[in-house]
Amino acid sequence: MKTMKRRLTKAILTLSALVCLASVCWAQSPRVELADKRYNDPKGYFTVVPPAAWRIQEYPDDVRGKVAFLAPDGNIDLRVLVNAVDFSTIDELLEFCRSTEKRLGVTMKIEKSDFHGRQAVRRSFDIRGQRFLYVDFLIGKVDHNLAYGAPPSKYALYLPVILKSMETYEPILKEAGDKESLDHLVAKKLRLGRLMLEVGRADLALEYVREGLAIAPEIQELLKLKQEVDSRFTKPHEQAAIAGGKRFESKKFGFSFNVPENVNVYTADNPGPMAARINADTPMWIVSSVIPTERINVKVTVGESPTTEEILKMFQGDPHAGAIPQYQKISVMVITIGQKQHKAAVEHLHALRVNPPKKLRQILFVHNGNTFGFTCSTSVDRFDAANKEFFDVLFNSMEFK
């Protein structure tokens, strides 16, 4: 019976790591994830939200608006180039692109298209082992060129996040007082606010909505969207449970802890954006609202209570090495947690060789006859800060009843 109990607990704790890996891959997939904040062109021509974790390469000596966002994967990039031209119509832009095709001697698919309400020219072509997508549109006599390049084998994988990033692109209007331009700008803020809500970035959604209201405070659609942003992940009766800097208590499991500022606790009563991930085995997610990929998933094995030594033994080998090829153990040890530092727990530090690399801290303990696994996940470069500002705040403030 004791052996069966250990096997059951080990299987469920292994599942916790697998769930965390699935969460990491989902959150960091190049198909969906955008950066935490917008990039503002220092020369004042545009703003854009690039893909998450892509390196920024600027060109301060170039008088044009110019930047490159470089993927960690290598040889994959999204570039923006803004420069003055001597024409101002879509037909002239189309002819310019065709003349470029002839000059380069490369066969391109060139067509007129719509770029979020603006007439544009779209080009796709292969050259020197790379596949490219170019989008050009005009603001007066200024050409805005967005260019995506990748090896053909990876082009389709990164295209979704590229298109999402392109959706956030905003040219900065140099001339004020044009009602049509202002109407277009307000529509852009509405669309981008809705897009950010769609991808779970309420903070950026609020930023866009506020900018729209600063331009046109009377627009009802913007006011309604602001209400949606404000209430998307919280309800009035839930504020006490998830507000930053307050305590969260689970009477069902018999523990409470401090909730750091800008961190939300999601449960079956307050599922928020984690509704699809909350179930009997994983009843709680604790998620940063500033960096949504910085999170803790909480798993529970009801009615199972191995000793701390038994849990330690489970993790002294490489418990996930076979099931999770990306897994790399760092350390396993017994620690104490809680306000009085009297609750014994096993700390399991490990890394996941994903893109970008992740570092995880798993805290496992038994309380009231149940086994709990708190799996804390963040990027390698954020781990020390997240551990100090988020994870340790929670574990060092725990009280048990």
mmCIF file of all heavy atoms in Angstrom, residues 159-194:
data_model
loop_
_atom_site.group_PDB
_atom_site.id
_atom_site.type_symbol
_atom_site.label_atom_id
_atom_site.label_comp_id
_atom_site.label_asym_id
_atom_site.label_seq_id
_atom_site.Cartn_x
_atom_site.Cartn_y
_atom_site.Cartn_z
ATOM 1 N N LEU A 159 5.295 32.794 -38.861
ATOM 2 C CA LEU A 159 4.406 33.736 -39.539
ATOM 3 C C LEU A 159 3.276 34.233 -38.639
ATOM 4 O O LEU A 159 2.970 35.439 -38.659
ATOM 5 C CB LEU A 159 3.839 33.097 -40.810
ATOM 6 C CG LEU A 159 2.932 33.995 -41.658
ATOM 7 C CD1 LEU A 159 3.660 35.248 -42.124
ATOM 8 C CD2 LEU A 159 2.393 33.222 -42.864
ATOM 9 N N PRO A 160 2.607 33.378 -37.820
ATOM 10 C CA PRO A 160 1.510 33.899 -36.990
ATOM 11 C C PRO A 160 1.923 35.013 -36.039
ATOM 12 O O PRO A 160 1.218 36.011 -35.904
ATOM 13 C CB PRO A 160 1.023 32.652 -36.238
ATOM 14 C CG PRO A 160 1.371 31.516 -37.135
ATOM 15 C CD PRO A 160 2.686 31.909 -37.748
ATOM 16 N N VAL A 161 3.076 34.868 -35.369
ATOM 17 C CA VAL A 161 3.487 35.915 -34.447
ATOM 18 C C VAL A 161 3.926 37.167 -35.213
ATOM 19 O O VAL A 161 3.760 38.297 -34.742
ATOM 20 C CB VAL A 161 4.590 35.427 -33.485
ATOM 21 C CG1 VAL A 161 5.944 35.305 -34.171
ATOM 22 C CG2 VAL A 161 4.700 36.359 -32.281
ATOM 23 N N ILE A 162 4.474 36.987 -36.404
ATOM 24 C CA ILE A 162 4.839 38.134 -37.242
ATOM 25 C C ILE A 162 3.596 38.933 -37.622
ATOM 26 O O ILE A 162 3.568 40.168 -37.528
ATOM 27 C CB ILE A 162 5.585 37.663 -38.507
ATOM 28 C CG1 ILE A 162 6.965 37.099 -38.146
ATOM 29 C CG2 ILE A 162 5.708 38.793 -39.518
ATOM 30 C CD1 ILE A 162 7.935 38.108 -37.573
ATOM 31 N N LEU A 163 2.561 38.227 -38.041
ATOM 32 C CA LEU A 163 1.329 38.916 -38.443
ATOM 33 C C LEU A 163 0.692 39.618 -37.250
ATOM 34 O O LEU A 163 0.153 40.729 -37.389
ATOM 35 C CB LEU A 163 0.355 37.923 -39.068
ATOM 36 C CG LEU A 163 0.814 37.296 -40.396
ATOM 37 C CD1 LEU A 163 -0.229 36.307 -40.903
ATOM 38 C CD2 LEU A 163 1.078 38.373 -41.448
ATOM 39 N N LYS A 164 0.752 38.977 -36.051
ATOM 40 C CA LYS A 164 0.231 39.635 -34.849
ATOM 41 C C LYS A 164 1.023 40.897 -34.550
ATOM 42 O O LYS A 164 0.471 41.938 -34.203
ATOM 43 C CB LYS A 164 0.313 38.679 -33.654
ATOM 44 C CG LYS A 164 -0.779 37.625 -33.618
ATOM 45 C CD LYS A 164 -2.131 38.231 -33.319
ATOM 46 C CE LYS A 164 -3.185 37.147 -33.160
ATOM 47 N NZ LYS A 164 -4.540 37.720 -33.013
ATOM 48 N N SER A 165 2.337 40.820 -34.678
ATOM 49 C CA SER A 165 3.175 41.986 -34.435
ATOM 50 C C SER A 165 2.873 43.096 -35.446
ATOM 51 O O SER A 165 2.760 44.267 -35.078
ATOM 52 C CB SER A 165 4.653 41.590 -34.487
ATOM 53 O OG SER A 165 5.482 42.699 -34.237
ATOM 54 N N MET A 166 2.735 42.716 -36.703
ATOM 55 C CA MET A 166 2.412 43.703 -37.734
ATOM 56 C C MET A 166 1.088 44.403 -37.449
ATOM 57 O O MET A 166 0.920 45.588 -37.759
ATOM 58 C CB MET A 166 2.376 43.045 -39.105
ATOM 59 C CG MET A 166 3.745 42.706 -39.689
ATOM 60 S SD MET A 166 3.588 42.036 -41.374
ATOM 61 C CE MET A 166 5.321 41.875 -41.849
ATOM 62 N N GLU A 167 0.150 43.669 -36.835
ATOM 63 C CA GLU A 167 -1.136 44.280 -36.493
ATOM 64 C C GLU A 167 -0.972 45.429 -35.514
ATOM 65 O O GLU A 167 -1.797 46.336 -35.468
ATOM 66 C CB GLU A 167 -2.072 43.239 -35.882
ATOM 67 C CG GLU A 167 -2.753 42.325 -36.876
ATOM 68 C CD GLU A 167 -3.839 41.502 -36.199
ATOM 69 O OE1 GLU A 167 -4.803 42.109 -35.692
ATOM 70 O OE2 GLU A 167 -3.720 40.263 -36.178
ATOM 71 N N THR A 168 0.084 45.390 -34.702
ATOM 72 C CA THR A 168 0.288 46.433 -33.700
ATOM 73 C C THR A 168 1.025 47.648 -34.256
ATOM 74 O O THR A 168 1.209 48.629 -33.541
ATOM 75 C CB THR A 168 1.094 45.886 -32.502
ATOM 76 O OG1 THR A 168 2.460 45.664 -32.890
ATOM 77 C CG2 THR A 168 0.502 44.578 -31.989
ATOM 78 N N TYR A 169 1.459 47.573 -35.502
ATOM 79 C CA TYR A 169 2.270 48.651 -36.075
ATOM 80 C C TYR A 169 1.438 49.916 -36.221
ATOM 81 O O TYR A 169 0.333 49.914 -36.782
ATOM 82 C CB TYR A 169 2.816 48.235 -37.444
ATOM 83 C CG TYR A 169 3.749 49.263 -38.046
ATOM 84 C CD1 TYR A 169 5.108 49.255 -37.760
ATOM 85 C CD2 TYR A 169 3.259 50.254 -38.904
ATOM 86 C CE1 TYR A 169 5.963 50.190 -38.303
ATOM 87 C CE2 TYR A 169 4.113 51.197 -39.450
ATOM 88 C CZ TYR A 169 5.460 51.154 -39.139
ATOM 89 O OH TYR A 169 6.316 52.086 -39.680
ATOM 90 N N GLU A 170 1.971 51.026 -35.724
ATOM 91 C CA GLU A 170 1.301 52.321 -35.826
ATOM 92 C C GLU A 170 2.244 53.366 -36.387
ATOM 93 O O GLU A 170 3.260 53.690 -35.759
ATOM 94 C CB GLU A 170 0.852 52.799 -34.441
ATOM 95 C CG GLU A 170 -0.305 52.054 -33.836
ATOM 96 C CD GLU A 170 -0.750 52.733 -32.555
ATOM 97 O OE1 GLU A 170 -0.077 52.521 -31.522
ATOM 98 O OE2 GLU A 170 -1.736 53.487 -32.586
ATOM 99 N N PRO A 171 1.949 53.909 -37.565
ATOM 100 C CA PRO A 171 2.732 55.055 -38.033
ATOM 101 C C PRO A 171 2.366 56.276 -37.195
ATOM 102 O O PRO A 171 1.216 56.435 -36.789
ATOM 103 C CB PRO A 171 2.271 55.214 -39.485
ATOM 104 C CG PRO A 171 0.887 54.657 -39.502
ATOM 105 C CD PRO A 171 0.878 53.529 -38.500
ATOM 106 N N ILE A 172 3.345 57.096 -36.900
ATOM 107 C CA ILE A 172 3.085 58.304 -36.136
ATOM 108 C C ILE A 172 2.817 59.442 -37.109
ATOM 109 O O ILE A 172 3.653 59.773 -37.959
ATOM 110 C CB ILE A 172 4.277 58.637 -35.212
ATOM 111 C CG1 ILE A 172 4.420 57.534 -34.157
ATOM 112 C CG2 ILE A 172 4.087 59.993 -34.541
ATOM 113 C CD1 ILE A 172 5.606 57.700 -33.246
ATOM 114 N N LEU A 173 1.614 60.011 -36.984
ATOM 115 C CA LEU A 173 1.211 61.072 -37.909
ATOM 116 C C LEU A 173 1.956 62.356 -37.568
ATOM 117 O O LEU A 173 1.985 62.796 -36.424
ATOM 118 C CB LEU A 173 -0.302 61.298 -37.828
ATOM 119 C CG LEU A 173 -1.161 60.062 -38.128
ATOM 120 C CD1 LEU A 173 -2.633 60.399 -37.952
ATOM 121 C CD2 LEU A 173 -0.902 59.559 -39.541
ATOM 122 N N LYS A 174 2.528 62.940 -38.580
ATOM 123 C CA LYS A 174 3.314 64.154 -38.380
ATOM 124 C C LYS A 174 2.465 65.418 -38.480
ATOM 125 O O LYS A 174 2.859 66.468 -38.022
ATOM 126 C CB LYS A 174 4.438 64.214 -39.410
ATOM 127 C CG LYS A 174 5.460 63.079 -39.300
ATOM 128 C CD LYS A 174 6.269 63.193 -38.044
ATOM 129 C CE LYS A 174 7.387 62.171 -38.026
ATOM 130 N NZ LYS A 174 8.218 62.258 -36.830
ATOM 131 N N GLU A 175 1.310 65.299 -39.103
ATOM 132 C CA GLU A 175 0.464 66.472 -39.317
ATOM 133 C C GLU A 175 -0.813 66.335 -38.497
ATOM 134 O O GLU A 175 -1.549 65.358 -38.624
ATOM 135 C CB GLU A 175 0.118 66.631 -40.797
ATOM 136 C CG GLU A 175 1.336 66.863 -41.685
ATOM 137 C CD GLU A 175 0.975 66.952 -43.154
ATOM 138 O OE1 GLU A 175 -0.229 66.926 -43.464
ATOM 139 O OE2 GLU A 175 1.903 67.064 -43.962
ATOM 140 N N ALA A 176 -1.111 67.312 -37.639
ATOM 141 C CA ALA A 176 -2.308 67.290 -36.823
ATOM 142 C C ALA A 176 -3.419 68.084 -37.485
ATOM 143 O O ALA A 176 -3.185 68.857 -38.409
ATOM 144 C CB ALA A 176 -2.002 67.865 -35.441
ATOM 145 N N GLY A 177 -4.660 67.898 -36.990
ATOM 146 C CA GLY A 177 -5.779 68.678 -37.486
ATOM 147 C C GLY A 177 -6.533 68.028 -38.619
ATOM 148 O O GLY A 177 -7.572 68.514 -39.025
ATOM 149 N N ASP A 178 -6.036 66.962 -39.171
ATOM 150 C CA ASP A 178 -6.716 66.252 -40.244
ATOM 151 C C ASP A 178 -7.740 65.313 -39.615
ATOM 152 O O ASP A 178 -7.390 64.306 -38.996
ATOM 153 C CB ASP A 178 -5.696 65.470 -41.072
ATOM 154 C CG ASP A 178 -6.331 64.800 -42.281
ATOM 155 O OD1 ASP A 178 -7.546 64.534 -42.273
ATOM 156 O OD2 ASP A 178 -5.581 64.536 -43.229
ATOM 157 N N LYS A 179 -9.057 65.616 -39.762
ATOM 158 C CA LYS A 179 -10.094 64.817 -39.103
ATOM 159 C C LYS A 179 -10.054 63.368 -39.553
ATOM 160 O O LYS A 179 -10.206 62.447 -38.745
ATOM 161 C CB LYS A 179 -11.477 65.403 -39.380
ATOM 162 C CG LYS A 179 -12.593 64.674 -38.619
ATOM 163 C CD LYS A 179 -13.951 65.279 -38.895
ATOM 164 C CE LYS A 179 -15.010 64.579 -38.053
ATOM 165 N NZ LYS A 179 -15.051 63.133 -38.239
ATOM 166 N N GLU A 180 -9.835 63.145 -40.830
ATOM 167 C CA GLU A 180 -9.787 61.771 -41.326
ATOM 168 C C GLU A 180 -8.634 60.997 -40.676
ATOM 169 O O GLU A 180 -8.793 59.834 -40.294
ATOM 170 C CB GLU A 180 -9.627 61.767 -42.846
ATOM 171 C CG GLU A 180 -9.645 60.370 -43.448
ATOM 172 C CD GLU A 180 -9.521 60.397 -44.969
ATOM 173 O OE1 GLU A 180 -9.490 61.503 -45.543
ATOM 174 O OE2 GLU A 180 -9.441 59.309 -45.558
ATOM 175 N N SER A 181 -7.499 61.661 -40.530
ATOM 176 C CA SER A 181 -6.355 61.007 -39.906
ATOM 177 C C SER A 181 -6.626 60.707 -38.437
ATOM 178 O O SER A 181 -6.275 59.642 -37.920
ATOM 179 C CB SER A 181 -5.108 61.886 -40.033
ATOM 180 O OG SER A 181 -4.745 62.029 -41.390
ATOM 181 N N LEU A 182 -7.274 61.646 -37.745
ATOM 182 C CA LEU A 182 -7.593 61.424 -36.338
ATOM 183 C C LEU A 182 -8.598 60.291 -36.170
ATOM 184 O O LEU A 182 -8.474 59.468 -35.257
ATOM 185 C CB LEU A 182 -8.130 62.714 -35.709
ATOM 186 C CG LEU A 182 -7.103 63.840 -35.504
ATOM 187 C CD1 LEU A 182 -7.777 65.088 -34.958
ATOM 188 C CD2 LEU A 182 -5.989 63.395 -34.579
ATOM 189 N N ASP A 183 -9.594 60.248 -37.049
ATOM 190 C CA ASP A 183 -10.575 59.152 -36.998
ATOM 191 C C ASP A 183 -9.883 57.813 -37.205
ATOM 192 O O ASP A 183 -10.190 56.825 -36.535
ATOM 193 C CB ASP A 183 -11.659 59.355 -38.059
ATOM 194 C CG ASP A 183 -12.604 60.502 -37.718
ATOM 195 O OD1 ASP A 183 -12.593 60.946 -36.555
ATOM 196 O OD2 ASP A 183 -13.344 60.950 -38.613
ATOM 197 N N HIS A 184 -8.953 57.822 -38.140
ATOM 198 C CA HIS A 184 -8.208 56.585 -38.415
ATOM 199 C C HIS A 184 -7.374 56.187 -37.193
ATOM 200 O O HIS A 184 -7.286 55.001 -36.844
ATOM 201 C CB HIS A 184 -7.307 56.776 -39.633
ATOM 202 C CG HIS A 184 -6.556 55.542 -40.022
ATOM 203 N ND1 HIS A 184 -7.051 54.605 -40.895
ATOM 204 C CD2 HIS A 184 -5.345 55.079 -39.615
ATOM 205 C CE1 HIS A 184 -6.180 53.614 -41.027
ATOM 206 N NE2 HIS A 184 -5.136 53.879 -40.263
ATOM 207 N N LEU A 185 -6.777 57.166 -36.535
ATOM 208 C CA LEU A 185 -5.943 56.895 -35.373
ATOM 209 C C LEU A 185 -6.786 56.332 -34.226
ATOM 210 O O LEU A 185 -6.374 55.378 -33.547
ATOM 211 C CB LEU A 185 -5.232 58.177 -34.932
ATOM 212 C CG LEU A 185 -4.229 58.041 -33.782
ATOM 213 C CD1 LEU A 185 -3.151 57.025 -34.111
ATOM 214 C CD2 LEU A 185 -3.619 59.392 -33.448
ATOM 215 N N VAL A 186 -7.976 56.886 -34.008
ATOM 216 C CA VAL A 186 -8.859 56.374 -32.957
ATOM 217 C C VAL A 186 -9.269 54.941 -33.261
ATOM 218 O O VAL A 186 -9.282 54.076 -32.373
ATOM 219 C CB VAL A 186 -10.107 57.276 -32.821
ATOM 220 C CG1 VAL A 186 -11.152 56.609 -31.926
ATOM 221 C CG2 VAL A 186 -9.723 58.632 -32.245
ATOM 222 N N ALA A 187 -9.608 54.678 -34.528
ATOM 223 C CA ALA A 187 -9.968 53.312 -34.922
ATOM 224 C C ALA A 187 -8.805 52.354 -34.673
ATOM 225 O O ALA A 187 -9.001 51.206 -34.262
ATOM 226 C CB ALA A 187 -10.385 53.279 -36.393
ATOM 227 N N LYS A 188 -7.589 52.826 -34.920
ATOM 228 C CA LYS A 188 -6.408 52.010 -34.691
ATOM 229 C C LYS A 188 -6.257 51.675 -33.207
ATOM 230 O O LYS A 188 -5.972 50.531 -32.843
ATOM 231 C CB LYS A 188 -5.170 52.751 -35.197
ATOM 232 C CG LYS A 188 -3.856 52.101 -34.828
ATOM 233 C CD LYS A 188 -3.488 50.974 -35.754
ATOM 234 C CE LYS A 188 -2.909 51.526 -37.042
ATOM 235 N NZ LYS A 188 -2.365 50.441 -37.895
ATOM 236 N N LYS A 189 -6.477 52.684 -32.333
ATOM 237 C CA LYS A 189 -6.362 52.432 -30.891
ATOM 238 C C LYS A 189 -7.410 51.422 -30.430
ATOM 239 O O LYS A 189 -7.128 50.551 -29.594
ATOM 240 C CB LYS A 189 -6.520 53.738 -30.112
ATOM 241 C CG LYS A 189 -5.480 54.807 -30.426
ATOM 242 C CD LYS A 189 -4.070 54.368 -30.077
ATOM 243 C CE LYS A 189 -3.059 55.472 -30.370
ATOM 244 N NZ LYS A 189 -1.679 55.046 -30.101
ATOM 245 N N LEU A 190 -8.622 51.520 -30.981
ATOM 246 C CA LEU A 190 -9.671 50.559 -30.650
ATOM 247 C C LEU A 190 -9.259 49.149 -31.064
ATOM 248 O O LEU A 190 -9.380 48.185 -30.296
ATOM 249 C CB LEU A 190 -10.968 50.936 -31.363
ATOM 250 C CG LEU A 190 -11.995 51.751 -30.588
ATOM 251 C CD1 LEU A 190 -13.102 52.210 -31.517
ATOM 252 C CD2 LEU A 190 -12.575 50.956 -29.423
ATOM 253 N N ARG A 191 -8.774 49.023 -32.288
ATOM 254 C CA ARG A 191 -8.421 47.702 -32.806
ATOM 255 C C ARG A 191 -7.273 47.089 -32.011
ATOM 256 O O ARG A 191 -7.294 45.910 -31.655
ATOM 257 C CB ARG A 191 -8.027 47.805 -34.293
ATOM 258 C CG ARG A 191 -7.713 46.462 -34.933
ATOM 259 C CD ARG A 191 -7.337 46.625 -36.394
ATOM 260 N NE ARG A 191 -6.180 47.473 -36.574
ATOM 261 C CZ ARG A 191 -4.936 47.085 -36.342
ATOM 262 N NH1 ARG A 191 -4.689 45.868 -35.900
ATOM 263 N NH2 ARG A 191 -3.931 47.913 -36.526
ATOM 264 N N LEU A 192 -6.259 47.919 -31.690
ATOM 265 C CA LEU A 192 -5.117 47.404 -30.945
ATOM 266 C C LEU A 192 -5.495 47.055 -29.504
ATOM 267 O O LEU A 192 -4.992 46.090 -28.936
ATOM 268 C CB LEU A 192 -3.977 48.421 -30.975
ATOM 269 C CG LEU A 192 -3.299 48.581 -32.347
ATOM 270 C CD1 LEU A 192 -2.312 49.735 -32.316
ATOM 271 C CD2 LEU A 192 -2.603 47.303 -32.753
ATOM 272 N N GLY A 193 -6.390 47.846 -28.913
ATOM 273 C CA GLY A 193 -6.862 47.524 -27.572
ATOM 274 C C GLY A 193 -7.567 46.181 -27.542
ATOM 275 O O GLY A 193 -7.338 45.357 -26.646
ATOM 276 N N ARG A 194 -8.401 45.936 -28.537
ATOM 277 C CA ARG A 194 -9.111 44.653 -28.620
ATOM 278 C C ARG A 194 -8.145 43.509 -28.882
ATOM 279 O O ARG A 194 -8.298 42.406 -28.349
ATOM 280 C CB ARG A 194 -10.178 44.731 -29.711
ATOM 281 C CG ARG A 194 -11.374 45.611 -29.316
ATOM 282 C CD ARG A 194 -12.275 45.889 -30.483
ATOM 283 N NE ARG A 194 -13.427 46.696 -30.067
ATOM 284 C CZ ARG A 194 -14.075 47.534 -30.873
ATOM 285 N NH1 ARG A 194 -13.686 47.668 -32.136
ATOM 286 N NH2 ARG A 194 -15.111 48.207 -30.427
#
